[in-house]
Amino acid sequence: MIRRTLLAALATGAAMIAAPLAAQDTVDIVYIPKNTGNPYFDSLVAGFEDACAEIDCTFSQAAPATAEATSQIPFITAQTQRGVDVIAISPNSPDALNQVLDRARSRGILVLAVNGDLVGNEEHRDAGILPVDFTKTGPNQVELLGSMIDYEGEIAILSATTDAPDQNTWIAAMEDVLANDPKYADMTLVAKVYGDDEPQKSTTEAEALLQSYPDLRGIISPTTVGIAAAAQVIQSAGKADQVKLTGLGTPNQMRPFVKDGTVQAFQLWSPYNQGWLAAHFAVGVRNGDIEIAPGNTFEVANLGTVRIEDKNVINTQAELTTFDAENIDDFDF
Amino acid sequence: MRDFVRTLIHRREAGIFAMLLLITALVGTMEPRFLTLETARIVALAIPLILIAAMGQMMVLVARHVDLSIGSIMAFSSIIAGMMFRDLPDLPIMAGVVVAIALGTGLGLVNGLLVVIFKLPSIIVTLGTLSLYRGLVFLVSDARQVDPQFIPRSLISLSQTSPVFGIPWLVIIALAVAVATYLFLDHTRLGRQIYALGSNPVAAPLRGIKVVRVTLLVFALSGALSGLAGVLYASRFGYVNPGITGVGFEFTVIAAVVVGGVSINGGVGTVLGTVLGVLLLGLVSVALPVLGVSAFWQDVFNGAVIVLALLIDRTVRERSTRALAQARSSG
Amino acid sequence: MSDTTQARPEQKPALSSHEAAAPRPLWQVVLIRPEVMTLVLLFVAFGVATWLSPFFADTTFILESATFYVEFALIALVLTLIIISGEIDLSPAAMMAFSACVFAALFKAGVPIGVAMGASVATGALMGAFNGVLVLWFKLPSIIVTIGTLTLYRGLAQVLAGDRSISGFPSWFIGIDWKYWFGVPIPVVFFVLVAIVLGVFLALTVTGRQIYQIGTSPEAAWHAGIRVRRIKMSLFVLLGVTSSVAGMLTASRLASVRYDMATGGELQMVLMVMLGGTYIFGGRGSIAGTFLAAWLLIVIATGMNVANIPITSQLIVMGLLLIVSIVATNAIYARTQR
């Protein structure tokens, strides 16, 4: 495997020398996920790869071992050095990457934030491709939970790390809609806890929730590690009827819990579509077919017309996809 | 005189036990819901993996070594077992358990061999193998996790069902390991030799201890127990992920073992103390969220508990050395 | 009289071989040492990296990449002194984070930036002193106690900074890694200068020699009148101060401060020191070794990244490298033992 990787690297290196000599037709895209070994990003990558098999681009990925804030910096620098055309990245930090991304852009590289944006620092990237309209995620989740608990009772949120920008965006929207929308007037948010995306910590926090709030009716966990841990806890405690769990999870992770009734339904989007869209978008921009400005639209095979929103954000789909016992077997990621 | 020393050490375990009671009482007054059987069940479930690995680490520390690679060994055994369950759906879970333990033993032996053959300090060797084995975990799994749907229900039920008093099987397994370790260390010659080796490695060969054999043994045992913890990880959490499973595990285990009175200089430590140490840290980890302590303060608490435990340990040890010196001069 | 041109038997050396060993030839002393092995590895790594990717051998790029690791390398230099003296400290990364958070919090609260920087350095010194007190007065084993304090300091950083990232520093403060001195980024220049100063200090001053003696045998050193406790304490404090400086360098590079700055740095720092041939139990090692080892790590990490080698292989390579280097280090030290 190592030798194969070395040979592949050598071949890529040789191709990189050859590319400028030929006309720059093929767009070279590199994607930097948050970290390696995360099944969610595997399907995103599949979207990229399938797209590049159809349109004119080459794809590679470079992933750090851990998802800590600065882990991607050396990778961005290395890719800048390699002279790729497009850097697509799922950022681990909203602002630590500003300098290196600017450096990449000054060399003519197109920088796209994928799956998560540089909140507050959008000027350091060319466009952001998000899986879904993030402002709708929070309310969607609250609505789903509400529908399972008759819109009344105590609920809690089990999140990831305290500093994840996407988590905080969604939670803020959840709190907002809980406070202001009369439909949810009888639902009270009693706790927000953080599992750090670690199984042990998420489990302990979930158990503490059940302990400290005996009248708890529902939990929202908008993170795959959190919802998996909470599902385990509810399953072992046998409290699936009392406490309804929902959140953001992948079908493969949640399948056993949906099948045995521990979890009625949960939501997510299609990471695959994001990768597909990002690849088409990147090639379109590099070829001059797409101009990045809010309000512009463009066509993507299989996805239809896509619009660029404010701050150059592109939402792959508008609302969350809900998974339940009926459709969960249709998916494999 | 040995009884004298033993009494002092017992005072050490009494100290941890007292801290346990104190914390339970404190938290109980602030949050009465804490004092329920449910809490006991939660605490009991939070510690089995750490307890099993702590038994192995304890033996390594007593022999005056350290094993920093246990998290990676755990992950490796775990992912291989998980992949086996995924690719061979009818495999009995015992087969997975046996393979995990065997792999752990193998990796542990590699650690031991590097230490013994090249006479390397175990802290550096295991720092290297921590990285090396983690890389292997990613390699064999192709950086993909083993999804929950592939973990056999019978394995997961070990964490959820119980044969007696509502105590999950997982906890019973961990306790059995602790008891077995105690019997081995206190009641077999080989076990006593580990203590002798750790307290005086230079004199050990003169006392007829086969240093190489004993050293290889402790590393193999630490690896085997980490392997067991690995396959039980899948039971506890329902899935195995190469980038998450076992990361940082070694520090948690070492902290618990040291809090339990095992000395970093070897030769000292009891199974009871280690069990209490694991229990104490587990209790704190469960108590803090129940108390609603902000996630930010939890690390501060953990760090303070470790430093405090070390200070207590040092004071007790100083008192015992002084007492020993007195006894020696008077007796 | 016998022929005086004949060599008289009594004039042959009378000492038998186990009474006086012949001094080692100079070339052996200079060449057969761990630092040379590190140097050789550095050349090999450079060669391999160039072969793996045509984009590697670019001085600007390598120097730019070096700035990511230089903060840890700076700390590793001082850590070398501590390890040679027979102790160890795993808390510097957490000290970096907390002192940087102190700096950022004070700055945000309106304190003049110079004062904030001073406060940050003072915090670093305090934390180093706290470690020193626990190890030297309470006689706690430094490896475990610094694991405890690292958790503590990281927790304090969280309490102080929360989940926010603090930014908004003046433009002269940020981007120090893009400021150059004769084409070399300033942090790298700083690193080289500190390495020279510490290297001279360790090898050529009396205190430097004393550090080696303390590491070899604290009791003997104490009996020889060396102020063991004072020297070790100074080293812990120096490490704390260096950590806070490194923290501010990082703040400048990232233009922001978060509580989780430098997470995982502890292992990288120890790795640099070990790869440089410093003996973990004290008494042997050198600044030159750590300096070369830092560059070795920079070359390996940068080379593998730019060649798109997956992180999996990088982990394996790092692990193997560490093991191989300490096998070699130990073999060299064993052979030179008399």
Side-chain angles (χ1 to χ4, degrees):
Chain A
M1 159 110 175
I2 297 183
R3 195 178 47 195
R4 197 157 29 99
T5 323
L6 291 184
L7 286 176
L10 204 55
T12 319
M16 286 312 304
I17 302 182
L21 299 177
Q24 186 116 18
D25 282 333
T26 312
V27 175
D28 196 20
I29 304 177
V30 73
Y31 170 57
I32 305 178
K34 286 194 175 188
N35 59 355
T36 195
N38 193 326
Y40 175 84
F41 292 115
D42 287 342
S43 30
L44 221 165
V45 164
F48 267 114
E49 285 173 336
D50 287 355
C52 282
E54 307 225 343
I55 61 181
D56 210 5
C57 55
T58 53
F59 174 77
S60 60
Q61 63 162 323
T66 60
E68 55 122 6
T70 55
S71 63
Q72 294 164 319
I73 293 179
F75 290 86
I76 299 172
T77 311
Q79 297 306 321
T80 309
Q81 177 72 5
R82 294 182 67 236
V84 298
D85 297 313
V86 180
I87 292 181
I89 181 167
S90 295
N92 284 329
S93 159
D95 57 11
L97 311 174
N98 290 351
Q99 330 282 44
V100 282
L101 288 179
D102 281 343
R103 194 76 171 166
R105 293 169 76 210
S106 73
R107 301 256 180 102
I109 300 177
L110 182 71
V111 172
L112 301 176
V114 173
N115 194 65
D117 210 350
L118 303 170
V119 177
N121 296 282
E122 290 86 354
E123 62 272 19
H124 297 277
R125 52 105 174 110
D126 291 304
I129 297 179
L130 301 181
V132 76
D133 187 349
F134 274 3
T135 60
K136 300 220 178 82
T137 308
N140 275 6
Q141 293 256 280
V142 171
E143 170 57 34
L144 182 59
L145 184 64
S147 69
M148 295 197 266
I149 61 175
D150 290 327
Y151 299 99
E152 62 168 346
E154 294 181 350
I155 66 171
I157 297 176
L158 169 60
S159 179
T161 50
T162 52
D163 43 292
D166 39 8
Q167 294 284 320
N168 290 334
T169 310
W170 301 331
I171 294 178
M174 287 184 210
E175 290 177 309
D176 181 60
V177 82
L178 279 168
N180 298 326
D181 191 332
K183 191 175 188 191
Y184 311 116
D186 293 325
M187 287 164 63
T188 348
L189 178 66
V190 293
K192 264 185 314 189
V193 295
Y194 298 90
D196 283 356
D197 268 350
E198 280 168 28
Q200 176 68 56
K201 188 136 196 280
S202 304
T203 306
T204 321
E205 290 287 353
E207 279 169 338
L209 282 178
L210 293 185
Q211 264 257 291
S212 317
Y213 303 98
D215 295 323
L216 196 65
R217 297 287 329 277
I219 299 180
I220 302 178
S221 187
T223 159
T224 46
V225 176
I227 192 178
Q232 277 282 99
V233 166
I234 292 180
Q235 190 186 57
S236 351
K239 293 211 167 137
D241 292 323
Q242 262 167 272
V243 182
K244 297 290 174 192
L245 172 68
T246 191
L248 302 175
T250 60
N252 283 356
Q253 183 88 16
M254 301 302 293
R255 186 165 289 121
F257 299 111
V258 169
K259 294 266 167 118
D260 72 8
T262 309
V263 172
Q264 246 173 271
F266 62 96
Q267 294 169 313
L268 197 62
W269 44 73
S270 170
Y272 180 90
N273 284 352
Q274 260 188 107
W276 178 268
L277 175 66
H280 281 85
F281 177 73
V283 173
V285 170
R286 292 301 290 204
N287 288 344
D289 297 333
I290 304 178
E291 192 196 320
I292 307 181
N296 285 0
T297 61
F298 57 98
E299 299 288 320
V300 178
N302 298 351
L303 290 178
T305 311
V306 182
R307 219 181 104 91
I308 304 180
E309 314 286 339
D310 269 348
K311 294 196 197 170
N312 294 339
V313 167
I314 299 167
N315 293 321
T316 313
Q317 63 191 67
E319 311 260 338
L320 291 173
T321 312
T322 305
F323 303 97
D324 54 29
E326 285 176 0
N327 65 359
I328 195 165
D329 280 328
D330 299 336
F331 303 91
D332 181 20
F333 68 93
Chain B
M1 202 199 324
R2 204 179 295 157
D3 295 320
F4 195 46
V5 175
R6 201 170 289 161
T7 335
L8 283 166
I9 296 192
H10 278 193
R11 226 183 283 171
R12 163 67 159 142
E13 278 103 25
I16 312 178
F17 193 64
M19 260 180 99
L20 268 170
L21 288 177
L22 190 66
I23 294 184
T24 316
L26 258 168
V27 179
T29 25
M30 286 192 270
E31 186 70 62
R33 263 189 300 265
F34 191 68
L35 301 171
T36 56
L37 277 178
E38 186 60 17
T39 315
R41 191 186 70 89
I42 296 175
V43 173
L45 267 180
I47 62 173
L49 299 178
I50 302 180
L51 186 56
I52 293 174
M55 289 298 115
Q57 187 72 229
M58 176 200 158
M59 290 192 273
V60 170
L61 281 172
V62 165
R64 211 188 268 206
H65 286 290
V66 71
D67 187 351
L68 295 177
S69 65
I70 52 178
S72 305
I73 295 182
M74 178 173 137
F76 189 75
S77 324
S78 192
I79 200 94
I80 298 272
M83 285 164 67
M84 280 172 65
F85 289 134
R86 180 185 65 198
D87 299 332
L88 306 164
D90 291 319
L91 197 69
I93 57 173
M94 261 327 266
V97 172
V98 168
V99 167
I101 296 182
L103 284 172
T105 315
L107 293 179
L109 268 176
V110 169
N111 282 337
L113 285 169
L114 285 171
V115 169
V116 160
I117 296 182
F118 297 106
K119 302 213 196 328
L120 301 175
S122 54
I123 181 174
I124 304 299
V125 168
T126 53
L127 197 61
T129 52
L130 177 157
S131 201
L132 186 66
Y133 295 162
R134 177 64 60 178
L136 289 177
V137 172
F138 279 115
L139 201 64
V140 301
S141 65
D142 208 18
R144 299 175 49 225
Q145 77 167 22
V146 175
D147 291 322
Q149 58 191 350
F150 299 119
I151 308 290
R153 278 245 44 108
S154 46
L155 185 60
I156 298 188
S157 67
L158 284 181
S159 299
Q160 300 179 344
T161 61
S162 130
V164 62
F165 297 135
I167 304 177
W169 274 109
L170 190 62
V171 177
I172 297 189
I173 296 175
L175 287 175
V177 168
V179 168
T181 312
Y182 165 71
L183 290 173
F184 170 65
L185 283 177
D186 269 35
H187 293 283
T188 66
R189 211 167 127 247
L190 203 49
R192 302 309 315 171
Q193 286 187 345
I194 299 179
Y195 279 97
L197 176 61
S199 57
N200 195 339
V202 174
L206 300 172
R207 298 165 64 177
I209 298 175
K210 303 236 187 343
V211 176
V212 168
R213 204 175 293 185
V214 176
T215 311
L216 288 178
L217 179 68
V218 294
F219 278 105
L221 284 175
S222 171
L225 288 171
S226 303
L228 178 60
V231 72
L232 291 177
Y233 179 99
S235 167
R236 176 86 181 90
F237 296 112
Y239 67 100
V240 183
N241 181 303
I244 298 180
T245 307
V247 172
F249 188 61
E250 44 281 326
F251 287 116
T252 317
V253 170
I254 291 180
V257 172
V258 167
V259 163
V262 177
S263 168
I264 203 88
N265 293 316
V268 174
T270 63
V271 171
L272 180 60
T274 309
V275 171
L276 288 175
V278 172
L279 209 59
L280 181 60
L281 285 187
L283 189 74
V284 170
S285 81
V286 171
L288 291 178
V290 167
L291 284 177
V293 171
S294 127
F296 305 142
W297 280 98
Q298 291 186 26
D299 268 347
V300 177
F301 271 105
N302 280 328
V305 165
I306 295 176
V307 174
L308 206 61
L310 284 172
L311 281 171
I312 296 178
D313 186 53
R314 169 58 53 182
T315 332
V316 167
R317 224 172 280 286
E318 232 150 63
R319 229 180 282 153
S320 86
T321 331
R322 235 177 290 143
L324 264 177
Q326 266 178 354
R328 208 176 283 140
S329 58
S330 61
Chain C
M1 284 270 105
S2 51
D3 195 319
T4 52
T5 56
Q6 224 177 14
R8 291 165 52 178
E10 310 90 272
Q11 280 175 348
K12 284 218 196 93
L15 298 168
S16 56
S17 62
H18 60 257
E19 281 184 47
R24 283 175 67 215
L26 183 64
W27 74 266
Q28 271 197 25
V29 172
V30 169
L31 287 186
I32 312 253
R33 27 184 336 140
E35 293 84 3
V36 170
M37 171 198 68
T38 315
L39 185 63
V40 167
L41 278 174
L42 181 56
F43 279 125
V44 170
F46 202 90
V48 171
T50 313
W51 172 72
L52 279 179
S53 165
F55 298 104
F56 174 74
D58 172 357
T59 330
T60 322
F61 170 60
I62 297 178
L63 287 175
E64 178 187 331
S65 305
T67 59
F68 308 144
Y69 307 95
V70 140
E71 289 119 14
F72 291 159
L74 205 57
I75 296 180
L77 290 175
V78 181
L79 191 58
T80 310
L81 298 178
I82 291 205
I83 294 185
I84 294 179
S85 80
E87 300 293 343
I88 193 169
D89 189 338
L90 294 178
S91 65
M95 291 200 279
M96 269 173 82
F98 184 56
S99 53
C101 288
V102 166
F103 162 70
L106 284 177
F107 172 72
K108 269 306 195 212
V111 173
I113 196 166
V115 176
M117 286 170 79
S120 168
V121 172
T123 313
L126 263 170
M127 288 190 282
F130 185 60
N131 283 342
V133 164
L134 287 175
V135 171
L136 299 168
W137 266 266
F138 291 97
K139 311 244 193 334
L140 302 180
S142 53
I143 184 163
I144 294 291
V145 83
T146 55
I147 290 181
T149 56
L150 94 83
T151 321
L152 188 68
Y153 298 150
R154 186 66 72 179
L156 287 174
Q158 281 189 63
V159 169
L160 184 58
D163 55 2
R164 310 177 326 264
S165 74
I166 309 176
S167 50
F169 303 109
S171 59
W172 62 262
F173 177 79
I174 62 176
I176 195 172
D177 49 318
W178 294 131
K179 308 214 165 99
Y180 298 86
W181 189 76
F182 289 112
V184 182
I186 297 212
V188 178
V189 174
F190 190 55
F191 169 60
V192 173
L193 285 176
V194 171
I196 295 177
V197 167
L198 286 180
V200 165
F201 165 73
L202 188 63
L204 298 178
T205 63
V206 174
T207 320
R209 308 260 92 230
Q210 289 179 338
I211 294 178
Y212 281 105
Q213 286 170 280
I214 296 173
T216 312
S217 168
E219 290 89 26
W222 185 74
H223 283 297
I226 296 176
R227 313 181 78 139
V228 176
R229 203 187 272 194
R230 180 184 290 202
I231 293 182
K232 282 192 179 181
M233 186 56 156
S234 320
L235 290 179
F236 275 109
V237 171
L238 180 63
L239 188 62
V241 166
T242 313
S243 304
S244 59
V245 170
M248 283 189 286
L249 280 175
T250 312
S252 166
R253 175 166 66 87
L254 300 179
S256 73
V257 171
R258 305 179 51 85
Y259 85 90
D260 63 357
M261 176 193 282
T263 322
E266 346 6 71
L267 287 185
Q268 285 195 42
M269 296 169 199
V270 171
L271 189 64
M272 283 184 198
V273 177
M274 292 300 120
L275 279 178
T278 301
Y279 192 47
I280 186 74
F281 293 123
R284 294 187 189 258
S286 69
I287 294 289
T290 306
F291 182 76
L292 289 172
W295 284 106
L296 177 62
L297 273 176
I298 291 171
V299 165
I300 292 178
T302 310
M304 289 204 275
N305 276 343
V306 85
N308 260 6
I309 293 184
I311 198 77
T312 310
S313 316
Q314 294 192 30
L315 284 172
I316 297 184
V317 167
M318 287 298 183
L320 279 175
L321 199 65
L322 186 58
I323 295 179
V324 163
S325 82
I326 45 164
V327 170
T329 307
N330 259 49
I332 294 175
Y333 280 144
R335 186 174 305 184
T336 60
Q337 210 78 271
R338 271 287 179 247

